[in-house]
């Protein structure tokens, strides 16, 4: 209802704008900024749909209003640029090529207008801010807002509308001028801070500086070659780099003296500068490393320009001296732990430990510096590795806290550059001679070093470490996890232990002597931490260790469960945390195998909670609790009342069209394998009715899964148990309707017909009786013609069955129907003989074990346990299945003999039946039976 009302209002607004076909300057004179902001958004949404076909004069009108305002020029420009930005933003995000071409066509004209305004307003604001006379603050703020809007508009136009910015004088001039204006605004910002001027004005100037940085980053991402070819581009990079060096020096000087920084660091500006440097390094290296790219979309001109851009950057900016200075600056000034870091370490140790692994490196100064260093070292490893290795030697001994921080930064560089340094640093000797002795050193100030060593071991342990060194790493990490050490150190060591175990070269025998103390320390740590994020990460570590160690974790399962169950009870308001716990419970259940029956009383209430639609958390928990539920069923050695108390919930989930349908079907199949008779006695009507709702699905995987579960149900016990419920449900009727209408893919139809085949094998007469009853319901008469038509269609579509097991199943079913001596079936003997000829030859060419696997088993996208009690139950059922046990040639001979007896002997059989069969077919049948 709400959407309908909103849609109606939006339509009225749209019609109003289209009817006016022009802008009224009175609109731009509105002083209500909130109203104009909303109007700008509405116009932009309409423009996305209507421009240019239905509203061609939108941008020309905006340009005209900006160029020739009628009224308060400043106010009109403020409103117009606000609207222009919203419109350009919407138009630039259209993905169709025609829309992009249209945007590119109008971009140069709009760019000219916006650039002129930018020149005027930047001159005005810089003049006002630089003069000794005081300007009206509101007027100044308005003009600064216009400058900000101009820069945003120019960014969109240059990024999405003007591809080759280096080819046009206007864009090159703007880039040059923008760099000058950026420098001026930076100087003004510093002066404003020193003077203690209005915070609003300081904030607005800072916003303009950040807008310039966003413009440069957008240009570099969209047009890395073109912007590098602009004359002023290297000047822009140098300016940012000089600021990074200057600010880094200022910060480290303050760290040494222990005094607070008098003027706060402009962190966002430095971040933008580092991102520009990082992308410059990557882009220059790509063009040099791949000069002869064979990508078809790259033209020869683009290859030439790419090499030219790389040459400019490498000769004018990324020089050998710059690379050395850049690495030194990043390590010595920006990769150091700051006083703020140390304060957080002390006050919020868990938060500090969690922040280390944060992926939001683009938004934090030290992580961004680390990623920039990684990029630099990757592309200049030959130049930088010797320098870095020399630094490693220089920090062997430290005598002050500042030297300790520098050592931490050097070790961070060694860990970050593991891919580049590998093979150049003898890490195993470094481990034994340097790191292990440093781990043994004790003292409160050494926690910084211990935390870094723990992290460093996690970075290097996956790089071809020998077995002896792996043992040394286990010992070192366990020493760092002891309870007397710092919490941050212990958490970091736990994460690194997980990395050491989750390795391609991991050997369980090497870990086993250390598994017990490792689990004791990890569980003790889990019991001490309080923040849910920390618990989730440690649980993730525990899950990985469980995966790699398997049954060796069984002795620790009771401790883990007793420790984590209280966390589940306290995590009611944190479904993501609950989900992580469920994953752990699932892994524990899997490793316990048949012993999992002793922990079901813990986990069944969790499953019940997760599948309950009344709980809001079920949206987050459903997929994971289904895994836990299915794992409990797979590992259960025998049925029990507790497990079967959940069966109605499984059947009930069939009522919802959920993504986990196939997993629900797997759970129901597990119940049928566990105790098919109890399952069907308890829920046969609900089960068959639930399956019936999905008959007719066009998704092949759904058809296959539904058929597979239904087939398992029919196999699990005698027809007397479920026959009445099966007939009364609409399952068979829906399959018959789908089969007769023939509107689905043949593969899906024949998947459903597998249920008819299985029923015909279980009780052929019951199946024929059902067809005659269905004829009465569908046609009003009990007609043999209806039954005959179904059999004819079935045989005609036999070749649509692809899997050999399914083909044999259907052949046995049709042959079993023949044994009833029903006249309708006997009349189809010639058609059935043609199927025999194909199948007798086919089954003779395949291994018997092929008939143990159904087509659904080959999907493989829903992982089941490699070893479980359920696999044994399934194998037992398969080996007792007629598809596996029946010798088809013997069955055909016996069936022909029974039919012959029905006709009164060989002569009567020949005269009444075989004489109507093509002699060639008879000859082929005899040959096929003889060759068996």
């Amino acid at each position: 209802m709400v959407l309908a009302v909103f849609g109606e209002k939006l339509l009225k607004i749209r019609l109003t704008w289209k009817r006016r076909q022009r802008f009224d300057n009175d609109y731009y004179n509105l002083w209500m900024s909130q109203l104009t902001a909303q109007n700008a958004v509405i116009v932009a949404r309409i423009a996305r749909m209507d421009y240019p076909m239905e509203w061609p004069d939108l941008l020309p009108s905006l340009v005209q209003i900006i160029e020739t305002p009628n009224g308060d020029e400043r106010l009109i420009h403020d409103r117009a640029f606000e609207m222009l930005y919203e419109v350009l933003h919407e138009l630039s995000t259209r993905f169709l090529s025609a829309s992009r071409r249209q945007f590119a066509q109008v971009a140069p004209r709009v760019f000219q207008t916006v650039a002129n305004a930018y020149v005027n307003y930047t001159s005005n604001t810089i003049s006002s801010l630089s003069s000794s006379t005081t300007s009206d603050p509101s007027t100044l703020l308005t003009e600064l807002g216009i400058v900000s809007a101009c820069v945003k508009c120019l960014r969109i136009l240059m990024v999405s509308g003007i591809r080759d910015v280096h080819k046009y004088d206007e864009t090159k001039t703007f880039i040059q001028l923008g760099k000058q204006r950026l420098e001026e605004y930076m100087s003004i910002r510093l002066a404003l801070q020193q003077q203690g001027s209005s915070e609003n004005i300081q904030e607005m100037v800072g916003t303009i500086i950040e807008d310039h940085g966003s413009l440069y980053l957008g240009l570099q991402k969209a047009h890395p070659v073109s912007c590098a070819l602009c004359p002023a581009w290297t000047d822009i990079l140098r300016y940012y780099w000089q600021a990074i060096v200057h600010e880094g020096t200022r910060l480290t000087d303050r760290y040494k003296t222990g005094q607070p920084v008098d003027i706060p660091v402009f962190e966002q500006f430095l971040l933008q500068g580092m991102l520009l440097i990082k992308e410059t390094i990557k882009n220059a290296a790509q063009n040099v490393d791949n000069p002869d790219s064979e990508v078809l979309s790259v033209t020869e001109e683009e290859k030439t320009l790419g090499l030219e851009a790389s040459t400019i950057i490498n000769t004018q900016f990324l020089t050998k001296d710059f690379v050395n200075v850049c690495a030194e600056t990043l390590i010595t000034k920006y990769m150091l732990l700051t006083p703020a870091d140390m304060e957080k370490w002390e006050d919020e140790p868990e938060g500090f430990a969690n922040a280390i692994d944060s992926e939001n490196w683009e938004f934090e100064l030290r992580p961004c510096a680390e990623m920039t260093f990684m990029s630099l070292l990757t592309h200049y490893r030959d130049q930088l590795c010797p320098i870095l290795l020399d630094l490693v030697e220089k920090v062997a001994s430290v005598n002050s806290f500042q030297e300790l921080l520098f050592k931490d930064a050097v070790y961070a560089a060694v860990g970050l550059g593991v891919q580049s340094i590998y093979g150049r640093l003898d890490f195993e000797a470094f481990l034994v001679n340097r790191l292990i002795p440093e781990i043994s050193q004790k003292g409160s100030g050494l926690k910084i070093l211990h935390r870094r060593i723990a992290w460093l071991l996690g970075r290097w342990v996956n790089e071809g470490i020998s077995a002896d060194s792996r043992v040394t790493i286990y010992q070192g990490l366990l020493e760092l996890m002891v309870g007397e050490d710092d919490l941050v150190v212990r958490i970091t060591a736990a994460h690194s232990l997980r990395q050491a175990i989750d390795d391609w070269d991991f050997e369980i025998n090497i870990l086993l002597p250390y598994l017990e103390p490792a689990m004791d320390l990890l569980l003790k740590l889990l019991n001490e931490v309080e923040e849910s994020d920390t618990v989730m990460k440690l649980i993730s570590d525990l899950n990985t260790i469980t995966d790699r160690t398997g049954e060796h974790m069984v002795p620790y399962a009771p401790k883990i469960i007793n420790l984590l169950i209280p966390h589940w009870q306290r995590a009611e308001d944190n479904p993501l945390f609950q989900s992580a716990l469920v994953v752990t419970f699932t892994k524990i259940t899997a490793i316990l195998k048949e012993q999992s029956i002793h922990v079901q009383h813990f986990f069944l209430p969790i499953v019940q909670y997760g599948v309950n639609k009344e709980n809001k958390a079920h949206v987050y928990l459903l997929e994971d609790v289904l895994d836990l539920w299915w794992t409990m069923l797979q590992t259960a050695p025998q049925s029990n009342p507790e497990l079967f108390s959940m069966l109605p919930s499984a059947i009930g989930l069939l009522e919802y069209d959920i993504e986990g349908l196939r997993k629900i079907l797997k759970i129901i199949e597990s119940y049928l394998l566990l105790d098919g008779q109890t399952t069907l006695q308890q829920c046969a009507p609900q089960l068959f009715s639930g399956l019936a709702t999905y008959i007719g699905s066009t998704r092949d995987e759904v058809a296959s899964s539904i058929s597979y579960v239904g087939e398992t149900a029919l196999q699990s016990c005698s027809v007397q148990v479920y026959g009445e419920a099966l007939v009364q449900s609409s399952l068979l009727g829906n399959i018959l309707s789908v089969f007769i209408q023939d509107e689905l893919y043949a593969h899906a139809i024949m998947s459903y017909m597998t249920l008819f085949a299985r029923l015909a094998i279980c009780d052929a007469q019951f199946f024929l009786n059902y067809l005659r009853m269905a004829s009465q319901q569908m046609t009003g008469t009990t007609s043999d013609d209806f039954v005959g038509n179904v059999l004819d269609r079935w045989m005609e579509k036999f070749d649509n069955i692809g899997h050999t097991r399914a083909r044999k199943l259907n052949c046995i079913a049709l042959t079993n129907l023949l044994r009833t001596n029903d006249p309708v079936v006997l009349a189809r003997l010639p058609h059935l003989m043609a199927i025999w000829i194909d199948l007798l030859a086919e089954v003779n060419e395949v291994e018997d074990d092929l008939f143990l696997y159904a087509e659904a088993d080959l999907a493989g996208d829903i992982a089941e346990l490699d070893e479980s009690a359920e696999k044994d139950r399934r194998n037992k059922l398969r080996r007792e299945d007629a598809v596996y046990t029946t010798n088809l040639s013997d069955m055909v001979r016996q069936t022909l003999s029974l039919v012959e007896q029905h006709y009164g002997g060989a002569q009567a059989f020949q005269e009444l039946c075989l004489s109507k069969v093509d002699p060639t077919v008879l000859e082929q049948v005899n040959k096929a039976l003889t060759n068996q």
Side-chain angles (χ1 to χ4, degrees), residues 797-816:
K797 290 185 174 295
F798 192 86
D799 286 339
N800 294 128
I801 306 173
H803 195 265
T804 301
R805 180 182 181 275
R807 289 169 64 81
K808 185 177 180 182
L809 172 69
N810 280 266
C811 181
I812 292 174
L814 292 168
T815 305
N816 203 41

Side-chain angles (χ1 to χ4, degrees), residues 241-242 244-246 249 277 281 317-334 372-373 376 380 383-384 387 391:
W241 176 245
Q242 290 167 1
I244 290 171
V245 173
H246 177 268
T249 302
I277 303 301
I281 295 168
F317 185 68
L318 295 177
T319 62
K320 184 176 181 179
D321 290 341
F322 170 82
V323 171
N324 290 342
V325 172
C326 182
E328 178 186 355
T329 300
L330 292 173
I331 294 175
T332 61
K333 294 178 171 58
Y334 287 97
T372 304
F373 174 79
L376 188 72
Y380 297 94
Q383 178 181 340
L384 293 178
I387 298 174
L391 286 176

Side-chain angles (χ1 to χ4, degrees), residues 608-626:
Q608 185 68 61
Y609 176 85
V611 300
N612 186 354
K613 295 288 182 178
E614 299 299 322
N615 294 325
K616 295 180 180 179
H618 86 275
V619 176
Y620 305 96
L621 296 176
L622 184 59
E623 182 177 355
D624 291 320
V625 297
L626 290 180

Side-chain angles (χ1 to χ4, degrees), residues 59 84-92 103 110 153 156-157:
L59 287 178
L84 179 62
Y85 168 71
E86 295 291 347
V87 170
L88 292 177
H89 176 72
E90 285 294 331
L91 297 182
S92 68
F103 189 72
V110 180
C153 292
I156 294 174
L157 291 166

Side-chain angles (χ1 to χ4, degrees), residues 186-201:
M186 282 293 293
S187 300
I188 289 170
R189 181 179 181 275
L190 178 60
L192 292 174
Q193 289 179 318
Q194 293 173 339
Q195 297 166 8
S197 300
S198 167
E199 291 186 4
N200 290 338
I201 293 177

Side-chain angles (χ1 to χ4, degrees), residues 481 494-495 497-499 501 515 518-524 526 534-550 553 556-557 559-564 567 580-581 583-585 587-588 591:
M481 288 177 64
H495 295 335
L497 179 64
R498 184 258 304 164
Q499 291 175 293
I501 294 174
L515 182 58
M519 290 309 303
D520 288 341
L521 290 170
L522 181 57
L523 295 178
K524 182 179 179 181
L526 254 172
T534 311
V535 177
M536 288 176 66
K537 288 186 176 183
L538 291 175
I539 287 175
S540 176
D541 297 340
L542 180 63
N543 290 343
T544 301
I545 296 172
T546 303
D547 285 337
R548 300 309 302 266
T549 56
M553 286 285 287
Y556 313 105
K559 292 182 181 179
I560 296 172
I561 294 172
N562 291 332
L563 177 64
L564 296 185
H567 280 289
L581 291 169
V583 171
T584 304
F585 297 151
K587 293 181 183 297
I588 292 172
I591 63 170

